[in-house]
Amino acid sequence: MTAYFQIDGVPIPFESGQTIMDAALAAGQYIPHLCHNPEFRPHGSCRVCTVRADGRFVAACTFPASEGAKVECASDELRELRNGLLQMLFVEGNHVCPGCEKSGACQLQAVAYYCEMLAPELPHFFPRRHVDASHPDLAIDYGRCILCELCVRASREVDGKSIFAIGGRGIKAHLLVDSPSGKLGDTDMSVHDKAAHVCPVGAILIKHRGYDRPIGQRLYDQRPVSVVGDVIQAEETRDD
Amino acid sequence: MNHDLETAEHPETLKRVVIEPLTRVEGHGKVTLLLDEDEHIQQARLHIVEFRGFEKFIQGRPYWEVPVLVQRLCGICPVSHHLAAAKAVDALVGVRQLPPTAEKIRRLIHFGQTLQSHAVHFFHLSSPDLLFGFEDEVSHRNIVGVIADHPDIALKGVKLRKFGQEVIRVVSGKRVHGTLAVPGGVNKALSREDRDYLLRQTDEVLAWSRDAVDLVKRLYVANSAFHDRFGRIDSHWLSLVDSDGNLEIYDGSLRTRDDSGCMIFDQAPCDDYAEFIREGIKPWTYMKFPFLITLGREDGWYRVGPLARVNNCDQIATPLAEAQRREFLAQDAAGHPIRAPLAYHWARMIELLHCAEAIVGLLRDPDILGGELQLRGEPRQEGIGVIEAPRGTLFHHYRIDEQGLIEKANLIVSTTNNNQAMNESIRAVAREFLDGHELTEGLLNHIEVAIRAYDPCLSCATHAVGKMPLSLELLDCNGRLLNRLERNSRGSCELA
């Protein structure tokens, strides 16, 4: 017999071992998220998927579904919390959407639209972070990294290279590249690696080809992230 | 000329009148006038008081981002910056000649851009001066007054601009700050539906454009002696022309003439612009002063923009605009270039008509519906893109490192090219119309009318960082100079 829990009153079937996020996505119920991807082990770092399960704040991507649980996702309280997290992500890095080639196909931007964040309202940090373009085919704009660790997990779990890691703590946390120089050009990363295509924002870029999708045809131009899904799925179906 | 009005000998003894902000121009600027006790003008300067600095902050960014980044210089002519940067980026990826579809799509959006910019400048910003007079009541001397008194004229202006904006939207996805150019090409061709949508409007657009030329001609000729004289200066002229000498706004080579129309140089490759043009700086403004190197800093300044283009070219490739060009130039019996700043308005509307004709031609060209969109060649580390923006010749010059990041950028923006000319024109106006008079709002508007004629975009025009010479003066309570610290153009400071 199928077990169920509820998200905002909607019954969601689940199998033993599934998280709230796994079951919700399988049932077509969108929960906003950035660091989650079903291909990789759940991470629970961005907290954008925070829900209330039987009254407790939990990350939907790491918390197991349980029979009869009552999960709140779309309450005003959670919207506000999510909006606050997104606000902090936007000002902590240098997310200049008007000039970014990922605009229109950026998961951070799409989730922010979905969560009705209209503009950054907190003071910007304007951190001085450089662009590493040492690799012939790839570039990293550290100013846009949201520390989701998708590239870390993809490189380790799929590519078997462990090129990326996160160093530092708190506000000093940052993406590291495992090479003597710390430069991507000194690694064996390939443009065909999974890690080159999982970035939900404009931090890891394929060089020489920005803005090639016309406005109107970009990933999130016509439909919201709740319908389209994650950047990684679209990246893998790109015909070029 | 009135160069002596640039710097007064004893400014501390003079009365200061400031026109700030300048109205009905793009961006923020001010004019300062220094007058003696008898209301005689001793100094007149146009200052640009905002600072942008794009040349600096795009350093370290990937080259393929630049056309989209730098279009944020401006909300009126972003397409011009987008395309000038794109042409430089084409050079960086080794593409000299775009595929026909890509070039025609770029030309289409550029004609749309120029049409809308010219329309907004003439109808929204400048027509009130010409329709109502320079000293009309200030509450009436604006676009709202035009709508009230001449709704037919205002409506045509609004609709012309709207059409230009629609061309931009259809091609780049947004009316302002879309995306189109990619290295070596464009990201899309036009769909049949979009092409037909634009074509359906072109009969009206052509008719409105002809009316616009007729209107400005009628207004100018109605008082031509005054309009010819107002702020008139002698200058050299610089613009692009194509290989046949035709007016050209997307590509071509550089041509300059002197004030009597004699060629100074012609068909100069844009890539060699730095051999012909240098920029001077002055401590009282953020905007630089370009000049022709061969003629020197004092005498080598020139004018750009619609009047320069119409004066400079041998012909315009579209028939209606060419007929208007001939009639326009016939004003000067000796065949010299037309020098009056207010003739910029007339030349601008001739170009608007040319844009409308050229848009029709491109929309009827099957190449815009599809074909090869992008090419790649042998990468280079330096790229130069030159284009005729609505306000004049626009230079974008980038150098990248071996990884593809911008190392150095130099932008000579259209309005910057007209810096000296605008200053000379306001001095001419100040000397003729303001000197010795008690200043009124209407008289001060004469100064703004002269500036407006050039259609300056002040926000576009200021980008250098760290090179601006500065003078710091320490005065005692009686205004006596105690000490002066000066920073020169190389950035080093010395006590004077």
Side-chain angles (χ1 to χ4, degrees):
Chain A
M1 197 171 134
T2 308
Y4 287 87
F5 66 99
Q6 290 185 7
I7 297 182
D8 297 328
V10 178
I12 305 290
F14 72 97
E15 293 170 10
S16 174
Q18 277 190 311
T19 62
I20 292 173
M21 179 71 81
D22 291 336
L25 292 180
Q29 185 79 18
Y30 179 71
I31 299 174
H33 57 271
L34 288 169
C35 72
H36 175 71
N37 185 292
E39 287 188 61
F40 311 115
R41 255 179 296 172
H43 196 256
S45 63
C46 77
R47 315 308 281 186
V48 170
C49 71
T50 298
V51 293
R52 260 191 196 274
D54 292 330
R56 284 177 61 196
F57 286 116
V58 298
C61 69
T62 56
F63 199 77
S66 60
E67 174 72 46
K70 288 187 169 45
V71 175
E72 284 176 48
C73 179
S75 67
D76 289 345
E77 177 192 34
L78 286 162
R79 280 178 201 275
E80 201 171 315
L81 185 147
R82 232 170 256 139
N83 207 300
L85 289 169
L86 290 163
Q87 290 279 356
M88 288 190 276
L89 280 174
F90 267 93
V91 302
E92 183 270 338
N94 294 316
H95 299 283
V96 188
C97 297
C100 180
E101 65 186 80
K102 206 66 182 274
S103 189
C106 167
Q107 202 167 322
L108 176 63
Q109 186 189 50
V111 170
Y113 276 130
Y114 179 85
C115 294
E116 299 176 351
M117 176 187 151
L118 300 179
E121 292 165 5
L122 302 171
H124 284 267
F125 284 26
F126 295 122
R128 290 178 77 92
R129 296 184 193 155
H130 69 287
V131 175
D132 176 1
S134 57
H135 194 282
D137 303 316
L138 297 164
I140 304 177
D141 184 341
Y142 286 97
R144 298 174 185 157
C145 178
I146 57 169
L147 303 172
C148 67
E149 293 200 34
L150 280 170
C151 58
V152 177
R153 287 176 277 169
S155 185
R156 185 177 61 225
E157 296 172 23
V158 179
D159 304 328
K161 296 183 178 178
S162 294
I163 286 170
F164 298 105
I166 301 294
R169 287 189 171 276
I171 195 62
K172 292 182 179 170
H174 58 281
L175 185 65
L176 289 171
V177 171
D178 183 16
S179 71
S181 63
K183 297 278 190 186
L184 195 62
D186 292 329
T187 69
D188 61 349
M189 182 149 177
S190 156
V191 71
H192 304 296
D193 287 352
K194 185 87 172 175
H197 301 275
V198 294
C199 183
V201 292
I204 298 180
L205 302 167
I206 312 293
K207 287 171 83 170
H208 314 297
R209 75 164 199 195
Y211 315 98
D212 50 353
R213 288 283 169 98
I215 291 173
Q217 299 174 29
R218 299 172 305 182
L219 187 61
Y220 300 117
D221 276 345
Q222 304 295 339
R223 295 176 301 161
V225 64
S226 57
V227 177
V228 174
D230 298 345
V231 162
I232 185 172
Q233 294 150 0
E235 270 287 321
E236 287 179 341
T237 55
R238 254 184 94 116
D239 48 16
D240 52 354
Chain B
M1 301 300 268
N2 299 284
H3 195 66
D4 55 307
L5 291 186
E6 179 177 321
T7 303
E9 278 193 24
H10 298 288
E12 67 279 7
T13 63
L14 300 171
K15 182 168 68 177
R16 186 164 178 262
V17 174
V18 183
I19 306 173
E20 186 181 22
L22 293 172
T23 58
R24 288 186 276 135
V25 296
E26 313 298 344
H28 302 285
K30 69 175 180 183
V31 168
T32 57
L33 305 171
L34 298 186
L35 301 97
D36 63 18
E37 289 176 350
D38 300 322
E39 309 292 343
H40 290 300
I41 303 282
Q42 300 296 327
Q43 179 177 301
R45 289 173 171 177
L46 164 65
H47 311 253
I48 310 306
V49 294
E50 62 181 321
F51 175 70
R52 306 278 280 172
F54 271 70
E55 285 177 353
K56 186 69 181 175
F57 69 69
I58 60 171
Q59 287 176 10
R61 300 304 310 172
Y63 74 86
W64 61 91
E65 269 189 4
V66 167
V68 172
L69 288 183
V70 297
Q71 68 175 341
R72 296 276 166 174
L73 273 162
C74 188
I76 301 292
C77 58
V79 172
S80 305
H81 290 290
H82 182 64
L83 293 181
K87 289 177 71 179
V89 168
D90 294 341
L92 293 175
V93 298
V95 176
R96 293 205 74 84
Q97 182 63 50
L98 297 183
T101 298
E103 175 158 338
K104 287 173 183 175
I105 290 282
R106 284 196 192 176
R107 282 181 181 273
L108 177 63
I109 195 172
H110 194 38
F111 282 122
Q113 149 73 38
T114 305
L115 185 140
Q116 72 83 18
S117 175
H118 281 0
V120 78
H121 178 262
F122 178 69
F123 289 97
H124 297 63
L125 304 182
S126 290
S127 73
D129 296 321
L130 301 172
L131 288 166
F132 304 138
F134 303 171
E135 298 193 51
D136 183 46
E137 178 60 36
V138 68
S139 61
H140 176 253
R141 197 181 62 219
N142 51 51
I143 184 63
V144 178
V146 178
I147 291 169
D149 292 13
H150 304 282
D152 54 328
I153 292 175
L155 194 61
K156 282 176 190 170
V158 169
K159 286 183 170 178
L160 271 169
R161 178 170 195 235
K162 182 183 176 193
F163 177 74
Q165 294 290 92
E166 279 300 277
V167 172
I168 294 170
R169 182 190 63 79
V170 161
V171 176
S172 72
K174 287 169 70 181
R175 287 179 185 84
V176 183
H177 300 144
T179 66
L180 172 69
V182 291
V186 295
N187 63 15
K188 73 169 189 182
L190 224 58
S191 70
R192 271 177 203 283
E193 297 74 42
D194 285 339
R195 190 270 314 264
D196 294 344
Y197 163 72
L198 293 175
L199 260 182
R200 280 196 295 275
Q201 305 170 58
T202 51
D203 285 348
E204 275 188 315
V205 167
L206 272 174
W208 297 331
S209 302
R210 296 174 82 156
D211 292 347
V213 185
D214 290 342
L215 172 66
V216 72
K217 190 190 322 178
R218 179 165 56 79
L219 292 170
Y220 193 97
V221 171
N223 197 359
S224 57
F226 172 76
H227 291 145
D228 282 345
R229 197 176 83 237
F230 184 83
R232 178 178 151 143
I233 53 172
D234 296 333
S235 74
H236 311 301
W237 306 93
L238 181 140
S239 72
L240 292 178
V241 290
D242 74 8
S243 55
D244 296 323
N246 287 318
L247 184 142
E248 171 62 60
I249 64 169
Y250 175 73
D251 207 359
S253 306
L254 295 166
R255 171 183 281 185
T256 55
R257 292 185 192 271
D258 67 15
D259 63 317
S260 61
C262 296
M263 209 76 81
I264 301 174
F265 59 75
D266 192 19
Q267 298 298 327
C270 291
D271 280 355
D272 298 339
Y273 84 95
E275 293 176 21
F276 304 110
I277 295 166
R278 191 170 294 157
E279 293 176 281
I281 41 185
K282 296 189 179 178
W284 45 268
T285 177
Y286 282 126
M287 190 153 67
K288 295 193 255 186
F289 291 84
F291 58 92
L292 302 173
I293 294 170
T294 51
L295 299 177
R297 193 178 295 253
E298 290 301 314
D299 301 322
W301 57 275
Y302 52 85
R303 281 191 272 184
V304 299
L307 188 58
R309 292 190 287 254
V310 172
N311 274 330
N312 247 356
C313 71
D314 299 328
Q315 60 209 331
I316 298 177
T318 54
L320 299 176
E322 170 59 9
Q324 294 294 341
R325 184 191 72 92
R326 287 171 184 271
E327 190 177 339
F328 173 73
L329 293 180
Q331 288 178 99
D332 191 297
H336 291 147
I338 306 298
R339 297 164 190 174
L342 290 177
Y344 262 96
H345 296 300
W346 189 343
R348 197 169 284 120
M349 291 303 97
I350 293 172
E351 285 196 335
L352 177 133
L353 177 58
H354 169 56
C355 290
E357 290 181 280
I359 288 170
V360 176
L362 284 168
L363 290 174
R364 288 180 179 153
D365 188 329
D367 281 350
I368 63 162
L369 297 177
E372 195 171 17
L373 296 180
Q374 196 175 6
L375 289 175
R376 283 296 166 102
E378 192 60 36
R380 294 169 44 189
Q381 284 186 252
E382 197 141 353
I384 292 167
V386 181
I387 200 165
E388 284 291 341
R391 291 157 183 81
T393 319
L394 170 64
F395 301 79
H396 280 221
H397 181 178
Y398 304 105
R399 194 174 71 222
I400 58 174
D401 63 19
E402 63 283 356
Q403 299 178 357
L405 302 181
I406 300 288
E407 256 181 1
K408 186 165 189 248
N410 185 35
L411 312 179
I412 306 179
V413 178
S414 317
T415 294
T416 311
N417 289 302
N418 277 335
N419 193 5
Q420 185 71 29
M422 288 189 290
N423 273 284
E424 292 291 335
S425 284
I426 64 168
R427 285 165 200 151
V429 168
R431 178 155 275 165
E432 178 165 2
F433 296 97
L434 279 66
D435 196 62
H437 293 87
E438 188 178 339
L439 296 185
T440 61
E441 190 282 330
L443 276 179
L444 291 178
N445 185 47
H446 283 59
I447 296 279
E448 294 189 78
V449 168
I451 295 169
R452 246 172 244 137
Y454 291 90
D455 187 12
C457 184
L458 308 178
S459 49
C460 282
T462 56
H463 301 288
V465 174
K467 297 176 190 167
M468 201 57 64
L470 285 174
S471 177
L472 185 65
E473 294 184 339
L474 180 63
L475 307 178
D476 68 13
C477 58
N478 297 315
R480 209 166 43 226
L481 181 67
L482 297 177
N483 220 336
R484 185 165 66 217
L485 183 67
E486 290 190 340
R487 188 178 73 186
N488 63 28
S489 59
R490 295 178 302 283
S492 57
C493 294
E494 54 193 43
L495 277 170

